[in-house]
Amino acid sequence: MWAAAPLFLLLLLLLARLRRSGAVPLEPAGRAVLITGCDSGFGHLLALRLHRLGFTVFAGCLCPGGEGARRLQREAGAGRLRVLRLDVTRAGDVLAAKELVLSHLPERGFWGLVNNAGISTFGETGWLSMEKYEKFADVNLLGSIRTTLAFLPLLRKYKGRIVFMSSIIAYFSLGNGIYSMTKAAIERFCDALRLEMKKFGVRVCIIQPGNYARSTKIQPPISAEEIWNELSEEEKAVYNKEYVQERANFFNSILSEGSANGNEVVDAMVDALTSPAPKARYMVAKLKEKALVFVCALFPTVVMDYFMSYALSKVKLA
């Protein structure tokens, strides 16, 4: 019986692929999509792509008067793309966004919500204040939940799509544990939501990019000197400048290796919104990044801890 299991799984994958290839493609015209975090990065690129495809796009920007928002308006022109102020940490902004969408809803209704807004930072657990933890939880996790709850009735009504921006960092941490924590939490939220929404015909998809730091600018290069100056006296008594510098160099080297082609991720986001049979997860990453996720998921924790500890720091503490 167990010998037949791989063949059975292969058959299921083949049937799923045939289902995807034989289904009728979506018609974007007359369907609305709201995207958060459109000031730059993936959200900015996606807003322009969906507009070109024919969707009615509501582009949520933290700074609607900023350069990113103005660039959206210049490139898209008047009509089906509307830029709106949307700070996902503010319930009032989310409610105002919903009212705007309802007042300008096209004939085929509300099709998609893309929870893309997010922030990132670097630092070991003791280096970060409680205020920073609260801010990250509010933007990366609660912000997505806040917008999802607000638009869920519309999504159920029109049997639409919800797309969440996660990361392969949900599986491991490379000195940005606070970011990893929020992405892991949003994945578990999505897993529950995906099953709950099936009975309503609503699809929930997760996008898991690899290292696209050069494309999104979500994490600028870090300064060891700034990190050291912000540490409390208690933390300075534990760590030393050499250690902080080594960690900063390590993290900056990772940032410099990031892909600059954000359209690879946008392709996955578009598929999640338009495919008749979207995937539950879209991992858009280099082969070595996918291999690392595979190791994290399947190998014992003690094995992963050994390799990660070796890679993260070779500098001894005082």
Side-chain angles (χ1 to χ4, degrees):
M1 182 179 71
W2 292 111
L7 184 61
F8 178 69
L9 290 174
L10 184 62
L11 180 61
L12 286 179
L13 289 172
L14 180 61
L15 289 173
R17 183 175 291 274
L18 289 173
R19 180 188 172 199
R20 284 172 59 87
S21 62
V24 179
L26 178 81
E27 174 53 56
R31 301 180 193 271
V33 177
L34 172 69
I35 311 167
T36 67
C38 292
D39 300 81
S40 62
F42 300 137
H44 188 95
L45 294 174
L46 180 64
L48 293 173
R49 178 84 69 87
L50 294 184
H51 178 262
R52 288 195 295 269
L53 288 174
F55 283 99
T56 296
V57 179
F58 295 90
C61 292
L62 185 62
C63 301
E67 175 55 32
R70 292 198 302 271
R71 191 163 61 248
L72 277 177
Q73 292 169 327
R74 286 197 305 268
E75 295 184 26
R80 290 179 290 99
L81 191 148
R82 292 176 178 272
V83 173
L84 62 147
R85 172 181 167 79
L86 182 50
D87 179 347
V88 297
T89 68
R90 298 170 64 90
D93 277 16
V94 175
L95 179 59
K98 183 178 181 181
E99 291 175 349
L100 180 66
V101 169
L102 285 170
S103 63
H104 295 87
L105 206 59
E107 60 271 21
R108 288 180 173 168
F110 189 71
W111 176 249
L113 170 64
V114 181
N115 286 301
N116 169 73
I119 54 176
S120 178
T121 193
F122 166 84
E124 297 199 359
T125 302
W127 298 1
L128 307 174
S129 66
M130 190 61 208
E131 288 77 12
K132 187 161 285 189
Y133 274 97
E134 291 171 347
K135 179 180 180 180
F136 268 72
D138 206 10
V139 175
N140 293 357
L141 176 59
L142 298 180
S144 292
I145 296 173
R146 193 174 285 114
T147 53
T148 299
L149 293 178
F151 285 90
L152 213 51
L154 278 175
L155 290 160
R156 287 196 297 253
K157 178 179 179 180
Y158 293 104
K159 302 183 185 303
R161 306 280 171 88
I162 315 175
V163 180
F164 290 86
M165 181 57 67
S166 180
S167 169
I168 63 169
I169 292 296
Y171 295 93
F172 55 86
S173 174
L174 290 171
N176 52 352
I178 188 172
Y179 183 71
S180 177
M181 171 192 75
T182 57
K183 292 305 182 181
I186 204 66
E187 293 232 357
R188 300 292 78 78
F189 174 71
C190 291
D191 287 340
L193 186 66
R194 184 177 61 253
L195 295 175
E196 294 169 5
M197 289 298 106
K198 273 192 173 183
K199 55 182 172 287
F200 300 109
V202 177
R203 302 297 185 92
V204 179
C205 305
I206 303 172
I207 311 297
Q208 300 173 311
N211 183 0
Y212 281 84
R214 290 169 59 210
S215 173
T216 64
K217 303 296 192 298
I218 189 174
Q219 175 64 67
I222 59 175
S223 164
E225 189 66 27
E226 289 180 7
I227 294 173
W228 180 257
N229 291 338
E230 291 178 1
L231 292 183
S232 67
E233 292 304 316
E234 290 177 316
E235 294 301 309
K236 288 179 179 178
V238 175
Y239 297 95
N240 56 57
K241 284 188 176 182
E242 184 186 8
Y243 180 85
V244 174
Q245 184 66 62
E246 187 273 342
R247 294 303 306 277
N249 292 343
F250 172 80
F251 197 69
N252 285 334
S253 69
I254 293 176
L255 295 178
S256 67
E257 294 172 0
S259 173
N261 184 11
N263 283 304
E264 296 170 345
V265 178
V266 174
D267 290 343
M269 299 166 83
V270 171
D271 191 78
L273 287 167
T274 61
S275 172
K279 302 175 185 178
R281 280 177 168 81
Y282 292 80
M283 185 174 293
V284 189
K286 298 175 184 176
L287 181 59
K288 65 179 181 180
E289 293 172 331
K290 291 180 178 180
L292 184 56
V293 170
F294 177 81
V295 171
C296 288
L298 296 183
F299 277 61
T301 302
V302 65
V303 175
M304 196 60 202
D305 283 355
Y306 174 80
F307 285 107
M308 295 298 284
S309 297
Y310 178 79
L312 283 175
S313 183
K314 300 179 179 63
V315 176
K316 302 298 182 181
L317 293 176

